[in-house]
């Protein structure tokens, strides 16, 4: 039987990632902190994460994986993004995973993820998975690039009468789905020593895979046309240019033009 997730709801906090990081010495694997409002929400690349009060999910899962090697840490992004994609599908919204770990509905961002790992020797000792998923919000600040929410996507799909979702119920469902992929990863690694089928699943859901689009190579600030063809062994994104040549990029070395 699946256990009810251990979720600690807070009215206000600076950042749920900070609560989960503080919990590392004492709290168990799979503990969750969620907030109705964050005063200092953190995003990728040092950005802030802002969200209307009590309209969206803002939460952090503390994982203490005893089976993930430090070199395989990208599997945590795979687990979390596959859980989100699968949960959103059950709600009626098709999404893709924008490498490394954003969730997009067509060209609109519905979810951002900030993962902070702790390493001990060869192993991953903790992963704080911070997730901001837009649920009920319908209007966003003008300066955010193409944001969307679950309720807006359902409206686009013709479901105009959707009442606001209960955040507590949705969080339980979503976290359970993420844990389903966490358990799959544990099982696949125990059986094969690798995560091939989860990686395959991730690649099948990758935003813009195999399609030519424009990107900016950060180091040279050069705009290029290329297509994503896969991931390298170190989870870098591999682009193929129009002339057939290939190059791989780490996070921050490439940005998408959307
Ligand atoms: C991004 O920049 O796309 C990542 C955003 C991650 C936001 C979430 S909200 C819950 C958790 N707490 C934080 O301070 N950040 C993450």
């Amino acid at each position: 039987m699946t256990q009810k997730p251990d979720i600690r709801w807070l009215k206000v906090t600076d950042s749920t990632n900070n609560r989960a990081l503080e919990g590392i010495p004492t709290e168990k694997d799979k503990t969750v902190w969620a907030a109705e409002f964050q005063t200092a929400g953190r995003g990728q690349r040092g950005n802030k994460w802002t969200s209307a009060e009590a309209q969206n999910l803002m939460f952090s899962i503390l994982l203490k994986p005893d089976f993930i090697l430090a070199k395989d840490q990208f599997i945590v992004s795979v687990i979390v993004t596959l859980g989100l994609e699968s949960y959103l599908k059950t709600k009626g919204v098709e999404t893709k995973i924008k490498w490394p770990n954003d969730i997009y509905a067509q060209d609109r961002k519905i979810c951002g993820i900030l993962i902070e790992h702790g390493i001990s020797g060869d192993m991953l000792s903790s992963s704080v998975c911070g997730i901001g998923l837009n649920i009920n919000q319908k209007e966003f600040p003008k300066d955010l690039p193409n944001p969307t929410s679950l309720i807006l996507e359902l409206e686009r799909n013709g479901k105009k009468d959707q009442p606001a979702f209960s955040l507590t119920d949705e969080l339980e469902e979503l976290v359970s789905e993420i844990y389903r992929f966490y358990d799959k990863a544990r099982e696949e690694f125990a059986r094969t020593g690798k995560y091939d089928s989860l990686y395959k699943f991730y690649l099948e859901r990758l935003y813009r895979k195999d399609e030519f689009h424009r990107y900016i190579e950060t180091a040279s600030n050069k705009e290029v046309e290329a297509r994503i063809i896969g991931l390298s062994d170190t989870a870098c994104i591999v682009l193929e240019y129009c002339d057939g040549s290939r190059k791989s990029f780490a996070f921050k070395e490439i940005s998408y033009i959307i």
Side-chain angles (χ1 to χ4, degrees):
M1 214 182 74
T2 49
Q3 258 187 327
K4 227 167 128 76
D6 176 1
I7 300 177
R8 323 239 168 121
W9 271 98
L10 306 163
K11 271 245 165 261
V12 185
T13 194
D14 51 357
S15 156
T16 56
N17 268 34
N18 293 348
R19 297 294 75 70
L21 288 168
E22 281 170 5
I24 291 172
T26 52
E27 302 291 348
K28 288 207 302 250
D29 182 42
K30 295 185 171 176
T31 308
V32 180
W33 289 261
E36 289 185 14
F37 190 68
Q38 294 187 133
T39 54
R42 293 190 278 121
Q44 292 162 10
R45 302 175 196 247
N47 291 327
K48 289 194 181 129
W49 182 262
T50 52
S51 174
E53 184 169 356
Q55 291 198 31
N56 301 318
L57 288 177
M58 287 174 275
F59 65 101
S60 303
I61 302 176
L62 170 61
L63 297 180
K64 290 179 153 180
D66 52 8
F67 62 99
I68 301 180
L69 294 165
K71 71 172 181 60
D72 292 335
Q73 59 187 262
F74 190 71
I75 196 65
V76 177
S77 292
V78 172
I79 291 164
V80 172
T81 52
L82 288 178
L84 277 151
E85 189 270 345
S86 170
Y87 157 82
L88 286 165
K89 191 174 283 164
T90 67
K91 298 286 137 183
V93 177
E94 291 289 333
T95 56
K96 293 273 185 191
I97 302 162
K98 177 171 166 277
W99 175 87
N101 49 22
D102 285 333
I103 307 290
Y104 269 61
Q106 292 172 11
D107 288 328
R108 300 175 291 276
K109 178 163 170 168
I110 191 165
C111 177
I113 301 170
L114 177 69
I115 301 183
E116 299 181 274
H117 294 297
I119 288 169
S120 172
D122 291 347
M123 302 302 289
L124 206 57
S125 51
S126 62
S127 293
V128 166
C129 309
I131 298 166
L133 173 63
N134 297 329
I135 298 279
N136 290 321
Q137 192 168 347
K138 290 192 177 176
E139 282 174 18
F140 291 89
K142 294 270 172 293
D143 56 331
L144 286 183
N146 32 3
T148 191
S149 63
L150 173 56
I151 209 153
L152 280 178
E153 288 305 311
L154 290 175
E155 279 185 8
R156 267 178 207 275
N157 295 350
K159 200 162 189 308
K160 305 278 182 208
D161 54 351
Q162 173 66 50
F165 287 94
S166 149
L167 294 182
T168 50
D169 290 352
E170 294 314 310
L171 185 56
E172 273 192 24
E173 266 184 54
L174 168 56
V175 166
S176 302
E177 198 53 17
I178 292 171
Y179 291 167
R180 198 167 68 79
F181 283 95
Y182 188 40
D183 295 343
K184 266 181 191 285
R186 184 190 300 276
E187 183 278 318
E188 184 172 7
F189 188 77
R191 195 167 35 83
T192 69
K194 298 185 286 187
Y195 303 100
D196 287 356
S197 71
L198 282 173
Y199 269 109
K200 182 167 175 281
F201 223 58
Y202 175 91
L203 283 178
E204 285 165 1
R205 284 154 185 75
L206 204 55
Y207 176 70
R208 289 189 170 176
K209 173 134 190 315
D210 299 326
E211 298 167 10
F212 278 97
H213 288 279
R214 302 200 73 76
Y215 298 88
I216 294 174
E217 294 184 0
T218 320
S220 58
N221 206 25
K222 197 171 79 179
E223 193 175 314
V224 296
E225 186 165 357
R227 63 177 170 185
I228 295 170
I229 56 162
L231 297 184
S232 71
D233 290 347
T234 52
C236 290
I237 196 95
V238 183
L239 295 187
E240 185 177 84
Y241 300 90
C242 300
D243 66 2
S245 61
R246 295 173 178 187
K247 196 166 158 187
S248 59
F249 296 88
F251 186 54
K252 293 188 184 167
E253 290 179 350
I254 192 88
S255 54
Y256 292 64
I257 299 178
I258 297 176

